[in-house]
């Protein structure tokens, strides 16, 4: 055992779920190691940079917006000394891209149907209803099918008709001293970098965890390069399918339960274009119903003197050339005008009605498990604050 690295807590997965759990752990004075398979931490926080001469531009390949209601996240941001890096987002519209034209959301809605339906918002409860059931009553069936559903699909880049309505958008208490919505001076990945630099936190990147065993009351975590880590507490902050696979032999009942959840892959392509080469008016995002992509999120929210950037979030299964051709068609540019391309694949949960019962069973299964923590974006919702809140409540179960 002498060559095995000994820890109080090993966290597998360096997205915001794993990072926030690691943050709570080092703050509590525990010897903590975080292991991430990619070459940097952040997961769905991915803010790659494009540098030309002295000029630098970054764009977001994943999450892009935080809100004043993200109180647990903000506590961590403050704890990491990052609060001054909070940056406002310019007010530019989320627009519809249909028949080759950019259209406003409001002008595309059937206002008569909306006015007739909207009063139901005061009586209809979200609980027990799917997104389709709830919102088609609030905005009208035609508005939902033709317009609104596509905006919802753009959030987790998949069809959201069957998502539980109460897990899609949550109302949370807001902090009044923080901007309503914001990003950070160098993008959301700054949060990942700041947490990773926490004193006392050992971070290992480019190491995929391939196996987990239990020995003498400790967890033994083995990575693809053969390194072994021993730990009193194991926190899994990876997609549910990965957690299910890793727990297969040590906790078969939990592994089976995790294996019940579905997930979607989001295939994202980010492009950087010189401002003068693009005619498109500034937008926050383009939502294109029934297209190859769910949304094209722009960085026009943080205007730059020289560049504009777009992250196209594609349905899975298209080859690179097909995706690049569609990007050029939508932006009306020649391929040669694309200055830089970035790609990333993220995993997002496919939640459906019955998820609350799944969560209750998860709690029951974890009750008997000493020091096995499960966090991620597949518990109380996929918003950043949901991930941090899950990590906070899971960490409160630790007893060494
Ligand atoms: C395109 C997109 C846009 C979004 N926009 C927003 C937004 O604007 N606002 C908002 O609130 N939310 C947004 N979300 C949701 C939110 O960003 C995510 O739900 C959240 O960041 C997920 O964090 P996570 O740590 O749970 O998972 P992830 O970020 O997926 O992190 C999991 C990590 O585990 C690592 N990993 C996996 N397997 C292994 C292994 N075997 N060994 C080691 N490491 C492993 C992965 O490489 C990854 O880094 C968005 C999500 C996406 C995909």
């Amino acid at each position: 055992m002498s060559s095995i690295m000994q820890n109080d807590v090993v966290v597998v997965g360096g997205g915001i779920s794993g990072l926030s759990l690691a943050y709570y752990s080092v703050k509590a004075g525990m010897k903590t190691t975080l292991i991430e398979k990619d070459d940097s931490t952040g997961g769905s926080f991915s803010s790659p940079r494009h540098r030309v001469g002295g000029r630098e531009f970054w764009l977001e390949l994943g999450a892009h917006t935080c809100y004043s209601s993200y109180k647990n996240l903000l506590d961590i941001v403050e704890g990491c000394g990052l609060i001054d890096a909070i940056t406002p987002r310019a007010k530019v519209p989320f627009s519809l891209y249909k028949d080759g034209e950019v259209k406003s959301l409001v002008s595309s809605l059937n206002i008569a149907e909306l006015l007739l339906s909207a009063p139901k918002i005061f009586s209809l409860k979200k609980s027990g209803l799917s997104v389709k059931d709830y919102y088609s009553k609030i905005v009208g069936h035609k508005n939902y099918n033709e317009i609104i559903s596509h905006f919802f699909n753009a959030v987790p880049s998949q069809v959201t008709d069957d998502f539980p309505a109460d897990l899609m958008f949550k109302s949370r208490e807001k902090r009044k001293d923080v901007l309503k919505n914001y990003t950070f001076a160098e993008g959301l990945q700054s949060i990942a970098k700041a947490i990773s630099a926490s004193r006392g936190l050992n971070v290992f990147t480019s190491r995929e965890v391939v196996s987990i065993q239990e020995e003498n009351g400790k967890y033994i975590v083995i990575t693809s390069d053969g390194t072994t880590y021993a730990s009193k507490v194991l926190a899994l902050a990876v997609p549910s399918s990965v957690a299910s696979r890793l727990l297969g032999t040590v906790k078969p009942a939990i592994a089976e339960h995790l294996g019940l959840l579905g997930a979607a892959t989001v295939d994202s392509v980010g492009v950087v274009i010189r401002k003068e080469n693009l005619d498109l008016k500034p937008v926050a995002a383009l939502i294109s119903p029934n297209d190859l992509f769910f949304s094209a999120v722009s960085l026009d929210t943080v205007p730059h003197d020289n560049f504009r950037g777009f992250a196209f979030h594609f349905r899975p299964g298209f080859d690179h050339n097909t995706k690049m051709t569609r990007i050029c068609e939508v932006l009306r540019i020649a391929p040669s005008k694309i200055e830089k391309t970035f790609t990333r694949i993220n995993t997002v949960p496919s939640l459906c009605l019955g998820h609350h019962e799944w969560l209750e069973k998860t709690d029951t299964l974890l009750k008997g498990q000493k020091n096995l923590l499960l966090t991620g974006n597949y518990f109380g919702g996929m918003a950043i604050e949901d991930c941090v809140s899950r990590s906070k409540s899971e960490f409160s179960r630790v007893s060494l």
Side-chain angles (χ1 to χ4, degrees):
M1 289 281 278
S2 59
S3 64
I4 299 181
M5 197 173 155
Q6 302 289 330
N7 299 275
D8 293 325
V9 181
V10 164
V11 182
V12 182
I16 188 60
S17 299
L19 287 163
S20 52
L21 199 132
Y23 175 87
Y24 295 126
S25 176
V26 287
K27 280 275 162 204
M30 293 179 182
K31 187 174 179 208
T32 308
T33 287
L34 180 141
I35 307 170
E36 165 55 49
K37 88 173 155 57
D38 288 349
D39 59 6
S40 59
T41 56
S44 304
F45 289 7
S46 176
S47 320
R49 293 168 193 207
H50 175 55
R51 288 190 187 90
V52 181
R55 290 163 302 175
E56 183 168 276
F57 179 76
W58 53 268
L59 80 165
E60 299 286 22
L61 291 186
H64 42 85
T65 313
C66 297
Y67 299 90
S68 55
S69 59
Y70 287 9
K71 286 184 166 181
N72 288 320
L73 178 79
L74 283 164
D75 286 345
I76 295 180
V77 165
E78 280 176 326
C80 291
L82 209 60
I83 202 91
D84 291 340
I86 284 186
T87 302
R89 286 164 48 87
K91 282 197 177 81
V92 281
F94 284 82
S95 301
L96 206 61
Y97 180 79
K98 222 174 160 184
D99 308 324
E101 301 290 332
V102 177
K103 299 177 181 178
S104 102
L105 164 69
V106 178
S107 69
S108 306
L109 286 171
N110 180 321
I111 300 298
E113 190 188 32
L114 183 66
L115 290 175
L116 268 175
S117 314
K120 294 198 188 80
I121 203 166
F122 299 110
S123 56
L124 198 62
K125 296 269 176 290
K126 285 183 181 170
S127 165
L129 293 183
S130 67
V131 162
K132 183 174 184 167
D133 286 345
Y134 179 78
Y135 287 100
S136 56
K137 291 193 176 77
I138 299 292
V139 298
H141 290 272
K142 194 169 164 358
N143 279 331
Y144 177 82
N145 287 331
E146 291 178 11
I147 315 285
I148 300 295
S149 62
H150 303 290
F151 275 79
F152 290 164
N153 295 349
V155 175
S157 295
Q158 58 187 292
V159 175
T160 50
D161 283 350
D162 296 334
F163 267 52
D166 55 354
L167 290 183
M168 189 75 183
F169 300 107
K170 290 183 183 170
S171 70
R172 301 173 227 258
E173 207 189 317
K174 297 177 180 60
R175 255 179 71 163
K176 296 203 170 64
D177 59 333
V178 178
L179 290 169
K180 224 168 154 185
N181 63 72
Y182 53 90
T183 178
F184 288 80
E186 294 182 350
L188 295 198
Q189 204 170 358
S190 331
I191 306 174
K193 285 184 187 154
I195 301 176
S196 301
S198 297
R199 192 192 297 213
L201 175 61
N202 297 308
V203 175
F204 295 98
T205 53
S206 303
R207 293 191 189 182
E208 180 173 2
V209 172
V210 289
S211 155
I212 289 169
Q213 296 159 13
E214 247 181 321
E215 257 176 49
N216 305 324
K218 285 192 174 180
Y219 291 99
I220 308 293
V221 175
I222 303 164
T223 53
S224 45
D225 62 349
T227 313
T228 304
Y229 307 77
S231 173
K232 295 174 196 159
V233 178
L234 172 68
L236 294 184
V238 289
S240 56
S241 59
V242 179
S244 171
R245 178 162 43 80
L246 292 176
L247 291 175
T249 47
V250 286
K251 307 285 176 199
I254 297 178
E256 192 186 339
H257 182 63
L258 288 169
L260 296 175
L261 289 187
T265 49
V266 189
D267 198 345
S268 304
V269 180
V271 290
V272 180
I273 300 135
R274 282 182 186 270
K275 264 183 145 171
E276 62 270 22
N277 290 329
L278 207 56
D279 281 336
L280 184 73
K281 276 189 190 161
V283 287
L286 295 176
I287 313 293
S288 189
N290 309 317
D291 210 315
L292 274 54
F293 62 95
F294 285 102
S295 64
V297 177
S298 113
L299 232 269
D300 293 341
T301 46
V302 188
H304 189 275
D305 287 344
N306 310 99
F307 299 109
R308 292 176 71 184
F310 292 82
F312 281 72
H313 301 298
F314 284 94
R315 294 167 195 267
F318 298 108
D319 64 39
H320 189 67
N321 284 344
T322 306
K323 290 183 275 196
M324 295 312 292
T325 303
R326 188 64 187 134
I327 289 173
C328 291
E329 281 168 3
V330 172
L331 297 180
R332 295 188 180 168
I333 49 167
S336 59
K337 299 294 181 203
I338 294 181
E339 181 110 355
K340 179 85 188 167
T341 304
F342 300 97
T343 60
R344 173 156 187 96
I345 292 181
N346 286 307
T347 304
V348 286
S350 306
L351 305 180
C352 54
L353 284 183
H355 191 69
H356 289 284
E357 290 73 18
W358 182 90
L359 273 175
E360 273 170 33
K361 173 111 193 269
T362 311
D363 287 344
T364 312
L365 285 167
L366 285 177
K367 238 177 217 154
Q369 296 301 327
K370 198 165 171 275
N371 296 337
L372 170 65
L373 312 181
L374 294 180
T375 182
N377 57 3
Y378 58 92
F379 292 92
M382 63 171 268
I384 296 163
E385 182 67 3
D386 293 317
C387 298
V388 180
S389 304
R390 171 74 190 178
S391 296
K392 192 175 181 182
S393 69
E394 275 298 86
F395 187 70
S396 70
R397 292 200 301 114
V398 169
S399 64
L400 287 184

